[in-house]
Amino acid sequence: MVRWDAETLWQAIEPRLPGFTVEIVPEIDSTNTELMRRARAGRLEPVLLVAERQTAGRGRLGRSWHSGAGGEPAAGGRRPEGPASLTFSLGLPLAPASWSGLSLAIGVALAESLHPDVRIKWPNDLWWQDRKLAGVLVETAAAPGLSGDQRQAVIGVGINILPPDAAGLSTPAAWLQELSPSLDAPAALGRVAPALVAMVQTFKAGGFAPLRARFQARDALAGRTVVLSDGTQGVAQGVGEDGALLVHTSRAMMQITSAEVSVRPQAGS
Ligand code: BTN
């Protein structure tokens, strides 16, 4: 049985987010899918939905998010306790002046709350030693009951706690217990969820520009040769004030804003 401390989490977050609730479920298709369903049905109260297991976890660019099966048995044959990955979504109504850079701001909050050596791979993966530790999927929905410029934001986070199943992964995986052996899924949630909520509110008030230096301090691509999904190559030069990735190619300084573009460091760079 997994020991989540929902009460402590709620106490840490509710003062910032009146009406906030924490829900922990043993299994669901996808925490993002569920909160998008709720949004479309007009259920807009701020919520942190945590799932011990997802049967249809989703990633960016139409990919799947696979959680591990609970970790490899250790040498003595004992399987580590707790979920092999931490999977949750935060849902809340939001109306920032601009949405650009939100996923980068979320990456900053997660990386800073996890470990000094965690890097952010534009636009919203967390990497450790060039391996993927975590992914973020931000979705928004128009919904009945929202006012003015508000949309319902659904911020989904998946963090490997133990080694995930390697099959089908496009990037080699890292897992949190490599960096911080004492952090299991509930302890990791206790660190990242309050930081995430605080960051969403910072972003709402001031956008991405004041957070840019914090992103750049953890930028996994800076100064490296990268390849875009259309084959274009260039050197990553950080991000602009709106969070666009700046890539210096032989022809121009490109500003990559589309989350549909995939960017990879060139092997050996
Ligand atoms: C990515 O790596 O492309 C993003 C992965 C996001 C996974 C999380 S797990 C919790 C939430 N529910 C989902 O179905 N996806 C996100």
Coordinates of all heavy atoms in Angstrom, one line a residue, residues 68-103:
G68 N 6.4 2.4 -15.4 CA 7.0 1.1 -15.2 C 6.1 0.2 -14.4 O 5.0 0.6 -13.9
A69 N 6.5 -1.1 -14.3 CA 5.6 -2.0 -13.6 C 5.8 -2.1 -12.1 O 5.3 -3.0 -11.5 CB 5.8 -3.4 -14.3
G70 N 6.6 -1.2 -11.6 CA 6.8 -1.3 -10.1 C 8.3 -1.5 -9.8 O 8.6 -1.8 -8.6
G71 N 9.1 -1.5 -10.8 CA 10.5 -1.6 -10.5 C 11.0 -3.0 -10.6 O 10.3 -4.0 -10.4
E72 N 12.3 -3.2 -10.9 CA 12.9 -4.5 -10.9 C 13.1 -5.0 -9.5 O 13.4 -4.2 -8.6 CB 14.3 -4.4 -11.5 CG 14.3 -4.0 -13.0 CD 13.5 -5.0 -13.8 OE1 13.7 -6.2 -13.6 OE2 12.6 -4.6 -14.6
P73 N 12.9 -6.3 -9.2 CA 13.3 -6.8 -7.9 C 14.7 -6.5 -7.6 O 15.6 -6.6 -8.5 CB 13.0 -8.3 -8.0 CG 12.1 -8.4 -9.2 CD 12.4 -7.3 -10.1
A74 N 15.0 -6.0 -6.4 CA 16.4 -5.8 -6.0 C 17.2 -7.1 -5.9 O 16.5 -8.2 -6.1 CB 16.4 -5.1 -4.7
A75 N 18.5 -7.0 -5.7 CA 19.3 -8.3 -5.7 C 18.7 -9.3 -4.8 O 18.7 -10.5 -5.1 CB 20.7 -7.9 -5.3
G76 N 18.2 -8.9 -3.6 CA 17.6 -9.9 -2.7 C 16.2 -10.4 -3.1 O 15.6 -11.2 -2.4
G77 N 15.7 -9.9 -4.3 CA 14.5 -10.4 -4.8 C 13.2 -9.6 -4.3 O 12.1 -9.9 -4.7
R78 N 13.5 -8.5 -3.5 CA 12.3 -7.8 -3.1 C 12.0 -6.7 -4.1 O 12.9 -5.9 -4.5 CB 12.7 -7.1 -1.7 CG 11.5 -6.7 -0.9 CD 11.9 -6.2 0.5 NE 12.7 -5.0 0.3 CZ 12.2 -3.8 0.2 NH1 10.9 -3.6 0.2 NH2 13.0 -2.7 0.1
R79 N 10.7 -6.5 -4.4 CA 10.3 -5.5 -5.4 C 10.2 -4.2 -4.6 O 9.5 -4.2 -3.5 CB 9.0 -5.9 -6.0 CG 8.6 -5.0 -7.2 CD 7.4 -5.5 -7.9 NE 7.7 -6.7 -8.7 CZ 8.2 -6.7 -9.9 NH1 8.5 -5.5 -10.4 NH2 8.4 -7.8 -10.6
P80 N 10.8 -3.0 -5.1 CA 10.6 -1.8 -4.3 C 9.1 -1.4 -4.2 O 8.3 -1.7 -5.0 CB 11.3 -0.7 -5.2 CG 12.2 -1.5 -6.1 CD 11.5 -2.9 -6.3
E81 N 8.8 -0.8 -3.0 CA 7.4 -0.4 -2.8 C 7.1 0.9 -3.6 O 7.9 1.7 -3.9 CB 7.2 -0.1 -1.3 CG 7.1 -1.3 -0.5 CD 7.0 -0.9 1.0 OE1 6.5 0.1 1.3 OE2 7.4 -1.8 1.8
G82 N 5.8 1.0 -3.9 CA 5.3 2.3 -4.4 C 5.3 2.2 -6.0 O 6.0 1.4 -6.6
P83 N 4.6 3.2 -6.6 CA 4.6 3.3 -8.0 C 6.0 3.6 -8.6 O 6.8 4.3 -8.0 CB 3.6 4.5 -8.3 CG 3.0 4.8 -7.0 CD 3.8 4.3 -5.9
A84 N 6.2 3.0 -9.8 CA 7.4 3.2 -10.5 C 7.5 4.6 -11.1 O 8.6 5.1 -11.4 CB 7.6 2.2 -11.6
S85 N 6.4 5.3 -11.2 CA 6.4 6.6 -11.7 C 5.3 7.4 -10.9 O 4.4 6.9 -10.4 CB 6.3 6.8 -13.2 OG 5.0 6.4 -13.6
L86 N 5.6 8.7 -10.8 CA 4.7 9.6 -10.2 C 3.9 10.3 -11.3 O 4.5 10.9 -12.2 CB 5.4 10.7 -9.4 CG 4.6 11.9 -8.9 CD1 3.5 11.4 -7.9 CD2 5.5 12.9 -8.2
T87 N 2.6 10.1 -11.3 CA 1.8 10.6 -12.4 C 0.6 11.4 -11.9 O -0.2 10.9 -11.1 CB 1.2 9.5 -13.4 OG1 0.6 8.5 -12.6 CG2 2.4 8.9 -14.1
F88 N 0.6 12.7 -12.2 CA -0.5 13.5 -11.7 C -0.8 14.7 -12.7 O 0.0 15.0 -13.6 CB -0.2 14.1 -10.3 CG 0.9 15.1 -10.3 CD1 0.7 16.4 -10.5 CD2 2.3 14.7 -10.2 CE1 1.7 17.4 -10.5 CE2 3.3 15.6 -10.2 CZ 3.0 16.9 -10.3
S89 N -2.0 15.3 -12.5 CA -2.3 16.5 -13.2 C -2.9 17.5 -12.3 O -3.7 17.2 -11.4 CB -3.4 16.2 -14.3 OG -2.8 15.2 -15.2
L90 N -2.6 18.7 -12.6 CA -3.2 19.9 -11.8 C -4.1 20.6 -12.8 O -3.8 20.9 -13.9 CB -2.1 20.9 -11.5 CG -2.5 22.2 -10.9 CD1 -3.1 22.0 -9.4 CD2 -1.3 23.2 -10.8
G91 N -5.4 20.7 -12.4 CA -6.4 21.4 -13.2 C -6.8 22.7 -12.5 O -7.1 22.6 -11.3
L92 N -6.9 23.8 -13.2 CA -7.4 25.0 -12.6 C -7.7 26.0 -13.7 O -7.1 26.0 -14.8 CB -6.4 25.6 -11.6 CG -5.1 26.3 -12.1 CD1 -4.4 26.9 -10.9 CD2 -4.2 25.4 -12.9
P93 N -8.7 26.9 -13.5 CA -8.9 28.0 -14.5 C -7.8 29.0 -14.4 O -7.3 29.3 -13.4 CB -10.2 28.7 -14.0 CG -10.7 27.8 -12.8 CD -9.5 27.0 -12.3
L94 N -7.4 29.5 -15.6 CA -6.3 30.4 -15.7 C -6.5 31.4 -16.8 O -7.1 31.0 -17.9 CB -5.0 29.5 -16.0 CG -3.7 29.9 -15.5 CD1 -3.7 30.0 -14.0 CD2 -2.6 28.9 -15.9
A95 N -6.0 32.6 -16.6 CA -6.1 33.6 -17.7 C -4.9 34.5 -17.7 O -4.9 35.7 -17.3 CB -7.4 34.5 -17.5
P96 N -3.7 33.9 -18.0 CA -2.5 34.7 -18.0 C -2.6 35.7 -19.2 O -3.3 35.5 -20.2 CB -1.4 33.7 -18.3 CG -2.0 32.6 -18.9 CD -3.5 32.6 -18.5
A97 N -1.8 36.8 -19.1 CA -1.8 37.8 -20.3 C -1.3 37.1 -21.5 O -1.8 37.3 -22.6 CB -0.9 38.9 -19.9
S98 N -0.4 36.1 -21.4 CA 0.1 35.3 -22.5 C 0.4 33.9 -22.0 O 0.9 33.8 -20.9 CB 1.3 35.9 -23.2 OG 2.0 34.9 -24.0
W99 N 0.0 32.9 -22.8 CA 0.3 31.6 -22.4 C 1.7 31.1 -22.8 O 2.2 30.1 -22.3 CB -0.7 30.6 -23.1 CG -2.1 30.7 -22.6 CD1 -3.0 31.6 -23.0 CD2 -2.7 30.0 -21.5 NE1 -4.2 31.5 -22.3 CE2 -4.0 30.4 -21.4 CE3 -2.3 28.9 -20.7 CZ2 -4.9 29.9 -20.5 CZ3 -3.2 28.4 -19.8 CH2 -4.5 28.9 -19.7
S100 N 2.4 31.9 -23.6 CA 3.7 31.4 -24.1 C 4.7 31.3 -22.9 O 4.8 32.2 -22.1 CB 4.2 32.2 -25.3 OG 4.4 33.5 -24.9
G101 N 5.4 30.2 -22.9 CA 6.4 29.9 -21.9 C 5.9 29.2 -20.7 O 6.6 28.9 -19.8
L102 N 4.5 28.9 -20.6 CA 4.0 28.2 -19.4 C 4.7 26.9 -19.2 O 5.1 26.6 -18.1 CB 2.5 28.0 -19.6 CG 1.9 27.2 -18.4 CD1 2.1 27.9 -17.1 CD2 0.3 27.0 -18.7
S103 N 4.9 26.1 -20.3 CA 5.5 24.8 -20.0 C 6.9 24.9 -19.6 O 7.4 24.1 -18.8 CB 5.4 23.9 -21.3 OG 6.2 24.4 -22.3

